[in-house]
Amino acid sequence: MFSSSQFRLGCREKQSEVMGRLVAAAIFLALLSPLLGCRSVAPVHLWQSPQLGSVGGEKLVLMEIAGPVDTAEGIRDALVAQTSADVPSRSTLAGAPITLLLPDQLQPPSNIELVSNVERAPSDLAVAAVARRSGVRYLLRGEIMHATGKPYSDERLSVVWRLVGLDSHTGTGATPVSIDQSTIEQRYPDLMAVPDPTERLHQAMARHTLGLVRESVVRQNVDLACSYISLGSADVRRGIALAKLGNWPAAEEIWVATLERYPFQTAAWINSAVAAAARQDFEQAKQRVTRAIQLSILLPVHRNLAEETLVWLELQQRDYVKSFDLPDPPGGWRVTHLSDEDSMRSVLGQR
């Protein structure tokens, strides 16, 4: 028979063996986690509401752009070219077009300059009276800033834009815009074909500026869930490859088919939610990512991404609702509130 000391020794050995197995299992899961749940990045185009005010379908007077003459003229020329009626609409702009006027296009320049207090530089007050009579409700002013401390740079261009409303129904606002070459590559990749980096900056600044005063479509990089070992992982990765090429409909079709075979594949739920957002079906998108959050209780490797995606989806839905002046969704806003919207965007880094 075993003595009590032998029994206690046997129990301690058994406990040590169990603990050793648990530690080994924890280490194994830690090593396996990157394969079970990793992230990949793909570009997606989404609606963005104007930040300064929606002037789509109206006339807008472009006032003086303060700063180095060459840079100011380059930005002005790019703005005029991109709002010209005989130039095809850019894919990044949506909604009603803007008619951009220069001050001397309102009526003969002398009529404006007579009430201007600066030679050859019409003031807001001087132009405002003429603009109102012409049915114009907004003036746009720009001031070129030198964030790099240099008067000229082909790497970065910063401008503070001010939209001035001319009647009681139009507001006034200002916002700084900074564009660099990496921003152009991410948001406006087609402009990378422009060989001159300075001209590239001017065109990108013009395109971004127009997005401040009318609805636009912006290119964002979004995080997608990726896995290598769980059932359906190969199909998940195949969908990601298509999404990276911009073929979101085909990617969504693959992820939905994957879920029909493997309904516990959380990566497919997350990615199909982003795909639904890409076609502006935010309600279905939130339903899908909510399912991913529920399933992540069993496999928590994707939980953080699923929760981040839910917040990101609702922020995109807010922009879409605002762009088209739509009512709030029937169930209201689930995870975002106006008071903390900016902080959430900052935390997510716009994904």
Side-chain angles (χ1 to χ4, degrees):
M1 295 184 63
F2 291 102
S3 64
S4 59
S5 60
Q6 290 174 321
F7 178 77
R8 287 194 298 272
L9 180 61
C11 287
R12 282 196 292 270
E13 290 177 348
K14 195 70 174 178
Q15 289 175 348
S16 298
E17 182 182 352
V18 171
M19 287 299 296
R21 290 179 178 177
L22 290 175
V23 170
I27 294 174
F28 176 75
L29 288 174
L31 295 173
L32 199 61
S33 290
L35 297 179
L36 289 173
C38 56
R39 297 189 185 195
S40 188
V41 177
V44 64
H45 291 84
L46 297 162
W47 287 96
Q48 178 174 277
S49 57
Q51 298 176 42
L52 282 177
S54 181
V55 300
E58 298 198 39
K59 297 177 180 178
L60 175 68
V61 177
L62 176 62
M63 300 293 291
E64 174 195 14
I65 302 177
V69 175
D70 290 345
T71 304
E73 289 181 350
I75 298 172
R76 182 201 63 197
D77 292 346
L79 281 167
V80 171
Q82 292 185 27
T83 55
S84 176
D86 58 350
V87 174
S89 299
R90 299 288 186 178
S91 60
T92 52
L93 297 174
I98 294 171
T99 300
L100 190 68
L101 301 173
L102 300 178
D104 59 5
Q105 292 177 310
L106 291 173
Q107 64 180 55
S110 59
N111 291 350
I112 297 177
E113 291 175 354
L114 283 174
V115 290
S116 174
N117 56 7
V118 179
E119 185 179 0
R120 303 184 64 84
S123 69
D124 287 358
L125 291 177
V127 176
V130 181
R132 289 191 186 97
R133 289 197 296 269
S134 302
V136 178
R137 300 196 302 158
Y138 295 94
L139 309 179
L140 181 65
R141 272 194 173 279
E143 181 180 359
I144 300 169
M145 311 299 291
H146 307 302
T148 59
K150 300 178 181 179
Y152 168 81
S153 172
D154 60 4
E155 291 299 321
R156 178 183 294 274
L157 177 59
S158 300
V159 179
V160 175
W161 292 104
R162 181 178 299 277
L163 184 68
V164 181
L166 299 181
D167 59 43
S168 59
H169 302 292
T170 56
T172 297
T175 188
V177 173
S178 186
I179 297 288
D180 57 29
Q181 298 296 340
S182 61
T183 303
I184 297 173
E185 185 175 8
Q186 177 182 343
R187 293 188 179 182
Y188 314 115
D190 60 297
L191 291 181
M192 296 306 293
V194 177
D196 184 352
T198 301
E199 183 182 351
R200 193 185 307 149
L201 280 173
H202 294 165
Q203 291 191 27
M205 177 58 71
R207 194 179 298 189
H208 193 91
T209 301
L210 292 175
L212 298 177
V213 293
R214 62 180 287 191
E215 289 75 13
S216 59
V217 179
V218 296
R219 184 180 186 267
Q220 294 186 21
N221 286 331
V222 294
D223 287 339
L224 297 176
C226 183
S227 62
Y228 286 87
I229 293 179
S230 57
L231 295 174
S233 293
D235 289 331
V236 168
R237 297 196 304 275
R238 192 156 58 93
I240 290 174
L242 289 169
K244 287 185 174 182
L245 295 175
N247 193 349
W248 283 91
E252 182 177 15
E253 185 177 343
I254 289 176
W255 291 324
V256 170
T258 301
L259 290 171
E260 292 175 355
R261 297 193 303 271
Y262 310 111
F264 295 99
Q265 174 54 262
T266 54
W269 281 112
I270 294 171
N271 297 346
S272 63
V274 178
R279 54 181 172 81
Q280 285 82 54
D281 191 342
F282 293 100
E283 289 305 311
Q284 185 176 66
K286 289 195 289 187
Q287 291 173 8
R288 288 176 175 177
V289 80
T290 299
R291 183 57 178 156
I293 293 173
Q294 295 168 344
L295 291 174
S296 64
I297 296 175
L298 302 175
L299 188 63
V301 291
H302 289 306
R303 184 173 185 85
N304 287 342
L305 179 56
E307 291 175 343
E308 291 173 16
T309 302
L310 177 58
V311 175
W312 176 82
L313 286 171
E314 196 153 287
L315 289 174
Q316 304 313 311
Q317 186 179 18
R318 279 187 178 277
D319 284 340
Y320 185 75
V321 165
K322 185 177 180 181
S323 293
F324 294 94
D325 195 24
L326 300 174
D328 289 348
W333 303 109
R334 293 174 50 189
V335 293
T336 63
H337 304 283
L338 288 176
S339 58
D340 58 2
E341 183 177 340
D342 290 341
S343 62
M344 282 186 288
R345 289 185 189 275
S346 177
V347 170
L348 291 176
Q350 289 288 355
R351 293 295 302 277

